[in-house]
Amino acid sequence: MHQGDTILQLQNVSRLYHQGGETIRALDRVNLTLRQGEFVAIAGPSGSGKTTLLNVSVGLDQPTEGKVWVGGQDLTGMSAPALAQLRLNKVGFIFQSYNLVPVLSAEENAELILLLRGVPAAERKRTVHRVLKEVGLEGLENRRPSQLSGGQQQRVAVARAIVAEPALVLADEPTANLDSETAFALIDLMEKLNQEHHTTFLFSTHDPRVMKRAKRIIYLLDGRVEKDVVSPDYA
Amino acid sequence: MTIVWKIAWRNLWRKPRRTILTVITISLGLALLLISLGLGDGSHNQMIESAVHMGSGHVLVQQKGYLEKGGIDRLLSPEEIRGVESWGQEMKGRFPIRHILRRTFVSGLASSADGATGVQLIGIQPLEEMQASDFDEKLIEGEFLNADDGDWVILGQGVAHKLALEVGEKLVLMAQGVDSVEIRSRLVRVRGILRTGLEEQDQALALMPLGASQEFLDLGTQVHQIAFLLEDSRFSDELASIGQENFPALEVLSWGEALPQLRDFIRIDDGGSYVMNLIFFLLISFTVLNTLLMSVLERGREFALLHCLGLTPGRRFIMVLVEAFFIAFLSALTGFGLGFSGHLYLSRSGLPLDLFYSGELSAAGVAFDPVMYSHLSPARILQPMILVFGLTLLLSVVPAWRAARSADVHSLGRA
């Protein structure tokens, strides 16, 4: 099923939740293929299945039906430690509410993934400083999350997501908690990283202004892919 | 693993007040436990030493059956005495043997112009016994015996009181000789009066020089007992066991076998204190469990994040164990510092029991020293430290398990 530069592939993926005797179909037979270097937005109203799609894509949630491949690896039946290892090696995350480790400084948060991957100290320091500079956090390396603004925290989260040069970066509503100016600055940054490093981004959003910046937009409604279109700006 | 240790350490100081309170609780528990163990062991040692220095010994050699049945005719022959003493000299190279003493024992009657009373007459080597035993320290009147004091005795305060005797006054001792049906009697004078602090001993004790007692009872050079006094009671069992192998025809007893009442008292006392300490530590355990569990439950979102980023369940489990390890380490260090300081003070200055009791105290046939001194061996210090570590790590398994399983990724989306 997997093709050469395919980073992510979902085949007939459904995710059902049972709540109070009722079955909720969060994802309904979703098919999706993401190739290296794409900059893709998932759009849709609240409850359309955006977050579930992101979670299922990297083994944070298990599909009820269907199959998922990340970087050519079939996630079906993989153990929790194996999935953790896969995420560590291939995926970067950016969350709506930043989700930094509060007891670590900006530099240590960015360094976390490299540490877990066992990258040597000297290389780690070099890479982290380069990435923090790239995301505009030079001089703020030693500050803890509580000492940073929302925009700065999200930049740390971006640095953490890209520092290990993952094949795929998932971002769940990355601009939702930011003011317009900071939100656009963040999207600029993501775009720049996509163009310069060929990093694949898959992010969910319901902000039309952010959506416009994506090269491809997947519209979800009630767990189904309603539309999968190349953005008019890039068509 | 460095990051796991770093996050674990910093997590502790996220809520410093909670961490400090937990560490203080465990430390105080450990310190009190060390002090209580020190005082318990110290008082037991004092009781053992007091008992072995008041007519007994760390190791006793006597004829088989003497412990159970006694009997004036259960004597060690001159050959046996030589054999045992020569073995004792050999053993000085392996064990810290301070003194080897010969003794005779007989029950008899003491009478004066004012009455008569039963006595336990012990024949002792005065010079050796003065160095080895505490009899001379218990004298309240007069002087201790000399080796050639053929017609002098030391009496317990109760005996002297019953017979209305004072130092220098006369009394008659009567007892059965070893190979005779006749009652033997001897007129002696009081050289000194002692008070051991044990009523029953003070009411019956009479000490006489060994030579005089052998002559009085017609024992020749035979004795009833050879007592070994050591530097440290811990060697008692081993020396007695080697002695028993060497002299299978004789009875070679450790202090515990010779003084079973005292041994049982110490065991029961130890058992009681173990139970109390266990209850105490179980109460502390709930504090630790509460702290760790609260700390983990509060951080569900963070564990979900680490799960997302690729920290395996095993590493999250270890992270919480490491936090518990840090708490245990800090607590053990502080608790040891506090407890050992307390122990050092109490081992030098002691705890005066008259703060709590007036009068003389005794248990299991042994008088308590009025000042209780702490004594802790390295093994005794290690036991509660290991208990603190073990218990804290054991209790952290539940929160660590929660952390390992905590993967509510939906919480990450919430602001």
Side-chain angles (χ1 to χ4, degrees), chain A residues 3 5-9 32-41 166-171 190-191 193-195 197-203 213-218 228-231 234:
Chain A
Q3 290 169 6
D5 61 348
T6 302
I7 295 297
L8 175 70
Q9 186 164 11
L32 173 70
T33 302
L34 237 71
R35 294 185 194 287
Q36 176 76 43
E38 284 199 279
F39 196 68
V40 184
L168 173 66
V169 173
L170 295 187
M190 286 166 56
E191 213 168 26
L193 293 168
N194 170 250
Q195 282 162 6
H197 300 285
H198 221 49
T199 308
T200 312
F201 278 86
L202 176 64
F203 57 95
R213 306 286 293 272
K215 295 173 188 168
R216 177 182 166 196
I217 307 169
I218 297 163
D228 184 347
V229 295
V230 174
S231 170
Y234 293 90

mmCIF file of all heavy atoms in Angstrom, chain A residues 3 5-9 32-41 166-171 190-191 193-195 197-203 213-218 228-231 234:
data_model
loop_
_atom_site.group_PDB
_atom_site.id
_atom_site.type_symbol
_atom_site.label_atom_id
_atom_site.label_comp_id
_atom_site.label_asym_id
_atom_site.label_seq_id
_atom_site.Cartn_x
_atom_site.Cartn_y
_atom_site.Cartn_z
ATOM 1 N N GLN A 3 3.629 3.962 -0.814
ATOM 2 C CA GLN A 3 4.361 4.375 -2.008
ATOM 3 C C GLN A 3 5.561 5.221 -1.606
ATOM 4 O O GLN A 3 5.562 5.836 -0.531
ATOM 5 C CB GLN A 3 3.432 5.187 -2.905
ATOM 6 C CG GLN A 3 2.355 4.303 -3.515
ATOM 7 C CD GLN A 3 1.271 5.122 -4.185
ATOM 8 O OE1 GLN A 3 1.376 6.337 -4.294
ATOM 9 N NE2 GLN A 3 0.229 4.461 -4.628
ATOM 10 N N ASP A 5 7.347 8.290 -1.610
ATOM 11 C CA ASP A 5 7.503 9.437 -0.717
ATOM 12 C C ASP A 5 6.270 9.679 0.150
ATOM 13 O O ASP A 5 6.035 10.780 0.626
ATOM 14 C CB ASP A 5 7.847 10.678 -1.539
ATOM 15 C CG ASP A 5 6.747 11.018 -2.546
ATOM 16 O OD1 ASP A 5 5.850 10.162 -2.743
ATOM 17 O OD2 ASP A 5 6.774 12.121 -3.113
ATOM 18 N N THR A 6 5.480 8.660 0.331
ATOM 19 C CA THR A 6 4.294 8.791 1.186
ATOM 20 C C THR A 6 4.719 8.787 2.659
ATOM 21 O O THR A 6 5.412 7.895 3.113
ATOM 22 C CB THR A 6 3.304 7.634 0.935
ATOM 23 O OG1 THR A 6 2.944 7.653 -0.438
ATOM 24 C CG2 THR A 6 2.062 7.772 1.789
ATOM 25 N N ILE A 7 4.271 9.813 3.376
ATOM 26 C CA ILE A 7 4.607 9.921 4.802
ATOM 27 C C ILE A 7 3.505 9.294 5.645
ATOM 28 O O ILE A 7 3.764 8.598 6.623
ATOM 29 C CB ILE A 7 4.751 11.420 5.196
ATOM 30 C CG1 ILE A 7 5.931 12.037 4.476
ATOM 31 C CG2 ILE A 7 4.894 11.589 6.702
ATOM 32 C CD1 ILE A 7 7.273 11.432 4.826
ATOM 33 N N LEU A 8 2.284 9.571 5.256
ATOM 34 C CA LEU A 8 1.143 9.099 6.049
ATOM 35 C C LEU A 8 0.066 8.574 5.114
ATOM 36 O O LEU A 8 -0.242 9.199 4.096
ATOM 37 C CB LEU A 8 0.586 10.266 6.880
ATOM 38 C CG LEU A 8 -0.691 10.004 7.678
ATOM 39 C CD1 LEU A 8 -0.413 9.051 8.837
ATOM 40 C CD2 LEU A 8 -1.254 11.315 8.224
ATOM 41 N N GLN A 9 -0.486 7.430 5.495
ATOM 42 C CA GLN A 9 -1.581 6.887 4.696
ATOM 43 C C GLN A 9 -2.643 6.287 5.613
ATOM 44 O O GLN A 9 -2.323 5.504 6.533
ATOM 45 C CB GLN A 9 -1.054 5.815 3.755
ATOM 46 C CG GLN A 9 -2.130 5.329 2.804
ATOM 47 C CD GLN A 9 -1.563 4.568 1.631
ATOM 48 O OE1 GLN A 9 -0.387 4.223 1.616
ATOM 49 N NE2 GLN A 9 -2.378 4.319 0.643
ATOM 50 N N LEU A 32 -6.803 8.756 3.199
ATOM 51 C CA LEU A 32 -5.964 9.951 3.118
ATOM 52 C C LEU A 32 -4.517 9.551 2.845
ATOM 53 O O LEU A 32 -4.017 8.576 3.410
ATOM 54 C CB LEU A 32 -6.055 10.696 4.465
ATOM 55 C CG LEU A 32 -5.150 11.877 4.702
ATOM 56 C CD1 LEU A 32 -5.573 13.051 3.828
ATOM 57 C CD2 LEU A 32 -5.224 12.298 6.176
ATOM 58 N N THR A 33 -3.870 10.292 1.989
ATOM 59 C CA THR A 33 -2.443 10.054 1.734
ATOM 60 C C THR A 33 -1.719 11.388 1.790
ATOM 61 O O THR A 33 -2.170 12.371 1.195
ATOM 62 C CB THR A 33 -2.241 9.413 0.347
ATOM 63 O OG1 THR A 33 -2.986 8.196 0.301
ATOM 64 C CG2 THR A 33 -0.760 9.107 0.107
ATOM 65 N N LEU A 34 -0.625 11.418 2.536
ATOM 66 C CA LEU A 34 0.181 12.639 2.658
ATOM 67 C C LEU A 34 1.575 12.338 2.135
ATOM 68 O O LEU A 34 2.176 11.331 2.523
ATOM 69 C CB LEU A 34 0.293 13.021 4.134
ATOM 70 C CG LEU A 34 -0.180 14.408 4.526
ATOM 71 C CD1 LEU A 34 -1.702 14.434 4.431
ATOM 72 C CD2 LEU A 34 0.249 14.703 5.945
ATOM 73 N N ARG A 35 2.066 13.221 1.270
ATOM 74 C CA ARG A 35 3.407 12.985 0.720
ATOM 75 C C ARG A 35 4.414 13.948 1.347
ATOM 76 O O ARG A 35 4.041 14.977 1.920
ATOM 77 C CB ARG A 35 3.378 13.179 -0.803
ATOM 78 C CG ARG A 35 2.533 12.124 -1.490
ATOM 79 C CD ARG A 35 2.593 12.234 -2.998
ATOM 80 N NE ARG A 35 1.548 11.452 -3.595
ATOM 81 C CZ ARG A 35 1.529 10.125 -3.657
ATOM 82 N NH1 ARG A 35 2.528 9.428 -3.156
ATOM 83 N NH2 ARG A 35 0.515 9.484 -4.203
ATOM 84 N N GLN A 36 5.661 13.556 1.233
ATOM 85 C CA GLN A 36 6.780 14.346 1.774
ATOM 86 C C GLN A 36 6.690 15.805 1.324
ATOM 87 O O GLN A 36 6.475 16.085 0.146
ATOM 88 C CB GLN A 36 8.083 13.720 1.265
ATOM 89 C CG GLN A 36 9.347 14.460 1.652
ATOM 90 C CD GLN A 36 9.708 14.213 3.107
ATOM 91 O OE1 GLN A 36 9.641 13.100 3.584
ATOM 92 N NE2 GLN A 36 10.055 15.282 3.810
ATOM 93 N N GLY A 37 6.769 16.726 2.293
ATOM 94 C CA GLY A 37 6.838 18.149 1.984
ATOM 95 C C GLY A 37 5.498 18.836 1.830
ATOM 96 O O GLY A 37 5.449 20.033 1.546
ATOM 97 N N GLU A 38 4.410 18.127 2.075
ATOM 98 C CA GLU A 38 3.083 18.765 1.944
ATOM 99 C C GLU A 38 2.812 19.669 3.151
ATOM 100 O O GLU A 38 3.365 19.468 4.237
ATOM 101 C CB GLU A 38 1.987 17.704 1.822
ATOM 102 C CG GLU A 38 1.929 17.066 0.433
ATOM 103 C CD GLU A 38 0.589 16.384 0.192
ATOM 104 O OE1 GLU A 38 0.432 15.245 0.662
ATOM 105 O OE2 GLU A 38 -0.282 16.995 -0.444
ATOM 106 N N PHE A 39 1.946 20.655 2.950
ATOM 107 C CA PHE A 39 1.563 21.610 3.989
ATOM 108 C C PHE A 39 0.035 21.607 4.013
ATOM 109 O O PHE A 39 -0.608 22.329 3.259
ATOM 110 C CB PHE A 39 2.130 22.994 3.632
ATOM 111 C CG PHE A 39 2.148 23.960 4.763
ATOM 112 C CD1 PHE A 39 2.992 23.772 5.857
ATOM 113 C CD2 PHE A 39 1.350 25.099 4.744
ATOM 114 C CE1 PHE A 39 3.034 24.698 6.896
ATOM 115 C CE2 PHE A 39 1.376 26.019 5.791
ATOM 116 C CZ PHE A 39 2.226 25.810 6.867
ATOM 117 N N VAL A 40 -0.511 20.731 4.847
ATOM 118 C CA VAL A 40 -1.925 20.383 4.728
ATOM 119 C C VAL A 40 -2.724 20.832 5.960
ATOM 120 O O VAL A 40 -2.294 20.599 7.096
ATOM 121 C CB VAL A 40 -2.087 18.847 4.569
ATOM 122 C CG1 VAL A 40 -3.553 18.470 4.356
ATOM 123 C CG2 VAL A 40 -1.232 18.337 3.439
ATOM 124 N N ALA A 41 -3.860 21.443 5.699
ATOM 125 C CA ALA A 41 -4.762 21.828 6.786
ATOM 126 C C ALA A 41 -5.962 20.891 6.804
ATOM 127 O O ALA A 41 -6.438 20.465 5.747
ATOM 128 C CB ALA A 41 -5.240 23.253 6.581
ATOM 129 N N PRO A 166 11.663 15.631 12.099
ATOM 130 C CA PRO A 166 10.774 14.491 11.889
ATOM 131 C C PRO A 166 10.209 14.481 10.467
ATOM 132 O O PRO A 166 10.195 15.522 9.801
ATOM 133 C CB PRO A 166 9.661 14.727 12.910
ATOM 134 C CG PRO A 166 9.614 16.195 13.070
ATOM 135 C CD PRO A 166 11.026 16.693 12.888
ATOM 136 N N ALA A 167 9.742 13.329 10.068
ATOM 137 C CA ALA A 167 9.163 13.213 8.734
ATOM 138 C C ALA A 167 7.838 13.968 8.671
ATOM 139 O O ALA A 167 7.450 14.473 7.608
ATOM 140 C CB ALA A 167 8.939 11.743 8.411
ATOM 141 N N LEU A 168 7.157 14.050 9.814
ATOM 142 C CA LEU A 168 5.806 14.612 9.836
ATOM 143 C C LEU A 168 5.614 15.445 11.108
ATOM 144 O O LEU A 168 5.994 15.012 12.200
ATOM 145 C CB LEU A 168 4.802 13.445 9.836
ATOM 146 C CG LEU A 168 3.321 13.734 10.021
ATOM 147 C CD1 LEU A 168 2.766 14.529 8.831
ATOM 148 C CD2 LEU A 168 2.541 12.418 10.149
ATOM 149 N N VAL A 169 5.043 16.647 10.939
ATOM 150 C CA VAL A 169 4.686 17.450 12.112
ATOM 151 C C VAL A 169 3.172 17.580 12.144
ATOM 152 O O VAL A 169 2.555 18.012 11.163
ATOM 153 C CB VAL A 169 5.339 18.853 12.085
ATOM 154 C CG1 VAL A 169 4.806 19.710 13.231
ATOM 155 C CG2 VAL A 169 6.852 18.741 12.172
ATOM 156 N N LEU A 170 2.592 17.169 13.284
ATOM 157 C CA LEU A 170 1.148 17.303 13.458
ATOM 158 C C LEU A 170 0.895 18.502 14.359
ATOM 159 O O LEU A 170 1.564 18.649 15.392
ATOM 160 C CB LEU A 170 0.568 16.062 14.136
ATOM 161 C CG LEU A 170 0.636 14.732 13.391
ATOM 162 C CD1 LEU A 170 -0.135 13.679 14.169
ATOM 163 C CD2 LEU A 170 0.053 14.858 11.995
ATOM 164 N N ALA A 171 -0.057 19.318 13.995
ATOM 165 C CA ALA A 171 -0.379 20.483 14.817
ATOM 166 C C ALA A 171 -1.887 20.562 14.984
ATOM 167 O O ALA A 171 -2.621 20.606 14.001
ATOM 168 C CB ALA A 171 0.163 21.739 14.161
ATOM 169 N N MET A 190 5.966 28.174 10.272
ATOM 170 C CA MET A 190 5.705 26.804 9.826
ATOM 171 C C MET A 190 5.913 26.692 8.309
ATOM 172 O O MET A 190 6.489 25.724 7.811
ATOM 173 C CB MET A 190 4.271 26.379 10.207
ATOM 174 C CG MET A 190 4.122 26.082 11.701
ATOM 175 S SD MET A 190 2.400 25.969 12.287
ATOM 176 C CE MET A 190 1.699 24.734 11.265
ATOM 177 N N GLU A 191 5.446 27.703 7.615
ATOM 178 C CA GLU A 191 5.571 27.721 6.151
ATOM 179 C C GLU A 191 7.045 27.748 5.738
ATOM 180 O O GLU A 191 7.473 27.024 4.834
ATOM 181 C CB GLU A 191 4.853 28.967 5.624
ATOM 182 C CG GLU A 191 4.215 28.779 4.288
ATOM 183 C CD GLU A 191 3.286 29.952 3.969
ATOM 184 O OE1 GLU A 191 3.517 31.066 4.502
ATOM 185 O OE2 GLU A 191 2.330 29.752 3.216
ATOM 186 N N LEU A 193 9.587 26.734 7.478
ATOM 187 C CA LEU A 193 10.216 25.444 7.793
ATOM 188 C C LEU A 193 9.842 24.402 6.738
ATOM 189 O O LEU A 193 10.663 23.567 6.347
ATOM 190 C CB LEU A 193 9.785 24.959 9.187
ATOM 191 C CG LEU A 193 10.298 25.796 10.359
ATOM 192 C CD1 LEU A 193 9.577 25.418 11.652
ATOM 193 C CD2 LEU A 193 11.800 25.607 10.530
ATOM 194 N N ASN A 194 8.587 24.493 6.293
ATOM 195 C CA ASN A 194 8.106 23.564 5.258
ATOM 196 C C ASN A 194 8.883 23.768 3.954
ATOM 197 O O ASN A 194 9.304 22.804 3.313
ATOM 198 C CB ASN A 194 6.603 23.786 5.063
ATOM 199 C CG ASN A 194 6.062 23.041 3.854
ATOM 200 O OD1 ASN A 194 5.702 23.653 2.850
ATOM 201 N ND2 ASN A 194 6.010 21.720 3.945
ATOM 202 N N GLN A 195 9.093 25.045 3.650
ATOM 203 C CA GLN A 195 9.778 25.327 2.379
ATOM 204 C C GLN A 195 11.275 25.034 2.455
ATOM 205 O O GLN A 195 11.847 24.424 1.567
ATOM 206 C CB GLN A 195 9.553 26.793 1.994
ATOM 207 C CG GLN A 195 8.171 27.004 1.394
ATOM 208 C CD GLN A 195 7.739 28.470 1.411
ATOM 209 O OE1 GLN A 195 8.507 29.365 1.763
ATOM 210 N NE2 GLN A 195 6.502 28.707 1.047
ATOM 211 N N HIS A 197 13.020 23.234 4.873
ATOM 212 C CA HIS A 197 13.459 21.891 5.314
ATOM 213 C C HIS A 197 12.628 20.779 4.696
ATOM 214 O O HIS A 197 12.893 19.611 4.970
ATOM 215 C CB HIS A 197 13.392 21.783 6.849
ATOM 216 C CG HIS A 197 14.259 22.768 7.546
ATOM 217 N ND1 HIS A 197 15.617 22.645 7.610
ATOM 218 C CD2 HIS A 197 13.966 23.934 8.191
ATOM 219 C CE1 HIS A 197 16.123 23.670 8.285
ATOM 220 N NE2 HIS A 197 15.129 24.467 8.641
ATOM 221 N N HIS A 198 11.647 21.157 3.931
ATOM 222 C CA HIS A 198 10.779 20.164 3.295
ATOM 223 C C HIS A 198 10.036 19.312 4.342
ATOM 224 O O HIS A 198 9.735 18.145 4.132
ATOM 225 C CB HIS A 198 11.625 19.263 2.377
ATOM 226 C CG HIS A 198 10.921 18.964 1.086
ATOM 227 N ND1 HIS A 198 10.328 19.932 0.295
ATOM 228 C CD2 HIS A 198 10.714 17.789 0.450
ATOM 229 C CE1 HIS A 198 9.788 19.378 -0.752
ATOM 230 N NE2 HIS A 198 9.989 18.065 -0.694
ATOM 231 N N THR A 199 9.782 19.929 5.516
ATOM 232 C CA THR A 199 9.065 19.222 6.583
ATOM 233 C C THR A 199 7.580 19.145 6.239
ATOM 234 O O THR A 199 6.987 20.148 5.809
ATOM 235 C CB THR A 199 9.217 19.976 7.930
ATOM 236 O OG1 THR A 199 10.598 20.215 8.145
ATOM 237 C CG2 THR A 199 8.625 19.210 9.090
ATOM 238 N N THR A 200 6.992 17.975 6.422
ATOM 239 C CA THR A 200 5.567 17.796 6.130
ATOM 240 C C THR A 200 4.741 18.264 7.333
ATOM 241 O O THR A 200 4.997 17.840 8.457
ATOM 242 C CB THR A 200 5.264 16.309 5.862
ATOM 243 O OG1 THR A 200 6.229 15.824 4.945
ATOM 244 C CG2 THR A 200 3.868 16.102 5.331
ATOM 245 N N PHE A 201 3.777 19.133 7.104
ATOM 246 C CA PHE A 201 2.907 19.628 8.185
ATOM 247 C C PHE A 201 1.466 19.183 7.934
ATOM 248 O O PHE A 201 0.974 19.288 6.811
ATOM 249 C CB PHE A 201 2.941 21.161 8.246
ATOM 250 C CG PHE A 201 4.120 21.708 8.991
ATOM 251 C CD1 PHE A 201 5.332 21.922 8.347
ATOM 252 C CD2 PHE A 201 4.025 22.026 10.342
ATOM 253 C CE1 PHE A 201 6.422 22.433 9.026
ATOM 254 C CE2 PHE A 201 5.114 22.539 11.029
ATOM 255 C CZ PHE A 201 6.314 22.739 10.374
ATOM 256 N N LEU A 202 0.857 18.676 8.969
ATOM 257 C CA LEU A 202 -0.582 18.376 8.912
ATOM 258 C C LEU A 202 -1.190 19.062 10.127
ATOM 259 O O LEU A 202 -0.896 18.682 11.260
ATOM 260 C CB LEU A 202 -0.821 16.857 8.979
ATOM 261 C CG LEU A 202 -2.288 16.403 9.021
ATOM 262 C CD1 LEU A 202 -3.028 16.793 7.737
ATOM 263 C CD2 LEU A 202 -2.373 14.884 9.216
ATOM 264 N N PHE A 203 -1.977 20.107 9.895
ATOM 265 C CA PHE A 203 -2.520 20.851 11.040
ATOM 266 C C PHE A 203 -4.023 21.054 10.905
ATOM 267 O O PHE A 203 -4.551 21.195 9.813
ATOM 268 C CB PHE A 203 -1.792 22.187 11.218
ATOM 269 C CG PHE A 203 -1.823 23.095 10.021
ATOM 270 C CD1 PHE A 203 -2.789 24.089 9.905
ATOM 271 C CD2 PHE A 203 -0.873 22.975 9.013
ATOM 272 C CE1 PHE A 203 -2.818 24.941 8.813
ATOM 273 C CE2 PHE A 203 -0.897 23.822 7.907
ATOM 274 C CZ PHE A 203 -1.867 24.802 7.801
ATOM 275 N N ARG A 213 -3.578 29.679 4.091
ATOM 276 C CA ARG A 213 -2.128 29.538 3.912
ATOM 277 C C ARG A 213 -1.726 28.103 3.560
ATOM 278 O O ARG A 213 -0.585 27.864 3.167
ATOM 279 C CB ARG A 213 -1.403 29.953 5.209
ATOM 280 C CG ARG A 213 -1.768 31.342 5.697
ATOM 281 C CD ARG A 213 -1.114 32.408 4.831
ATOM 282 N NE ARG A 213 0.312 32.384 4.997
ATOM 283 C CZ ARG A 213 0.964 33.066 5.949
ATOM 284 N NH1 ARG A 213 0.292 33.854 6.781
ATOM 285 N NH2 ARG A 213 2.271 32.993 6.039
ATOM 286 N N ALA A 214 -2.669 27.150 3.769
ATOM 287 C CA ALA A 214 -2.342 25.745 3.480
ATOM 288 C C ALA A 214 -2.319 25.505 1.980
ATOM 289 O O ALA A 214 -3.041 26.154 1.223
ATOM 290 C CB ALA A 214 -3.371 24.838 4.138
ATOM 291 N N LYS A 215 -1.470 24.553 1.571
ATOM 292 C CA LYS A 215 -1.410 24.240 0.140
ATOM 293 C C LYS A 215 -2.500 23.249 -0.231
ATOM 294 O O LYS A 215 -2.868 23.120 -1.392
ATOM 295 C CB LYS A 215 -0.042 23.648 -0.197
ATOM 296 C CG LYS A 215 1.090 24.636 0.005
ATOM 297 C CD LYS A 215 2.439 23.955 -0.176
ATOM 298 C CE LYS A 215 3.562 24.893 0.219
ATOM 299 N NZ LYS A 215 4.850 24.204 0.326
ATOM 300 N N ARG A 216 -2.933 22.509 0.787
ATOM 301 C CA ARG A 216 -3.997 21.527 0.539
ATOM 302 C C ARG A 216 -4.914 21.550 1.760
ATOM 303 O O ARG A 216 -4.422 21.630 2.896
ATOM 304 C CB ARG A 216 -3.344 20.152 0.371
ATOM 305 C CG ARG A 216 -4.290 18.992 0.186
ATOM 306 C CD ARG A 216 -3.468 17.710 0.093
ATOM 307 N NE ARG A 216 -4.291 16.540 0.238
ATOM 308 C CZ ARG A 216 -3.818 15.333 0.491
ATOM 309 N NH1 ARG A 216 -2.515 15.135 0.646
ATOM 310 N NH2 ARG A 216 -4.624 14.303 0.591
ATOM 311 N N ILE A 217 -6.200 21.475 1.536
ATOM 312 C CA ILE A 217 -7.150 21.521 2.648
ATOM 313 C C ILE A 217 -8.061 20.299 2.580
ATOM 314 O O ILE A 217 -8.630 19.998 1.526
ATOM 315 C CB ILE A 217 -8.018 22.805 2.620
ATOM 316 C CG1 ILE A 217 -7.112 24.051 2.549
ATOM 317 C CG2 ILE A 217 -8.911 22.882 3.847
ATOM 318 C CD1 ILE A 217 -7.861 25.328 2.249
ATOM 319 N N ILE A 218 -8.144 19.611 3.723
ATOM 320 C CA ILE A 218 -9.045 18.458 3.807
ATOM 321 C C ILE A 218 -10.213 18.884 4.701
ATOM 322 O O ILE A 218 -10.001 19.235 5.867
ATOM 323 C CB ILE A 218 -8.313 17.234 4.397
ATOM 324 C CG1 ILE A 218 -7.163 16.817 3.467
ATOM 325 C CG2 ILE A 218 -9.270 16.070 4.631
ATOM 326 C CD1 ILE A 218 -6.141 15.922 4.120
ATOM 327 N N ASP A 228 -11.310 17.264 -0.387
ATOM 328 C CA ASP A 228 -9.858 17.234 -0.264
ATOM 329 C C ASP A 228 -9.337 18.031 -1.447
ATOM 330 O O ASP A 228 -9.299 17.542 -2.575
ATOM 331 C CB ASP A 228 -9.371 15.770 -0.309
ATOM 332 C CG ASP A 228 -7.877 15.645 -0.080
ATOM 333 O OD1 ASP A 228 -7.172 16.682 -0.135
ATOM 334 O OD2 ASP A 228 -7.407 14.518 0.158
ATOM 335 N N VAL A 229 -8.988 19.306 -1.195
ATOM 336 C CA VAL A 229 -8.696 20.195 -2.325
ATOM 337 C C VAL A 229 -7.337 20.873 -2.181
ATOM 338 O O VAL A 229 -6.855 21.108 -1.073
ATOM 339 C CB VAL A 229 -9.768 21.305 -2.441
ATOM 340 C CG1 VAL A 229 -11.123 20.716 -2.787
ATOM 341 C CG2 VAL A 229 -9.829 22.122 -1.157
ATOM 342 N N VAL A 230 -6.757 21.164 -3.299
ATOM 343 C CA VAL A 230 -5.545 21.981 -3.305
ATOM 344 C C VAL A 230 -6.016 23.429 -3.179
ATOM 345 O O VAL A 230 -6.990 23.834 -3.811
ATOM 346 C CB VAL A 230 -4.761 21.764 -4.610
ATOM 347 C CG1 VAL A 230 -3.576 22.719 -4.677
ATOM 348 C CG2 VAL A 230 -4.293 20.329 -4.706
ATOM 349 N N SER A 231 -5.376 24.175 -2.283
ATOM 350 C CA SER A 231 -5.795 25.551 -2.029
ATOM 351 C C SER A 231 -5.757 26.366 -3.316
ATOM 352 O O SER A 231 -4.802 26.238 -4.094
ATOM 353 C CB SER A 231 -4.854 26.164 -0.998
ATOM 354 O OG SER A 231 -5.087 27.522 -0.911
ATOM 355 N N TYR A 234 -2.632 27.976 -4.353
ATOM 356 C CA TYR A 234 -1.517 27.161 -4.830
ATOM 357 C C TYR A 234 -1.888 26.336 -6.057
ATOM 358 O O TYR A 234 -1.085 25.568 -6.542
ATOM 359 C CB TYR A 234 -1.007 26.241 -3.712
ATOM 360 C CG TYR A 234 -0.379 27.012 -2.580
ATOM 361 C CD1 TYR A 234 -1.148 27.449 -1.510
ATOM 362 C CD2 TYR A 234 0.977 27.334 -2.618
ATOM 363 C CE1 TYR A 234 -0.585 28.177 -0.482
ATOM 364 C CE2 TYR A 234 1.542 28.069 -1.588
ATOM 365 C CZ TYR A 234 0.761 28.488 -0.519
ATOM 366 O OH TYR A 234 1.317 29.208 0.483
#
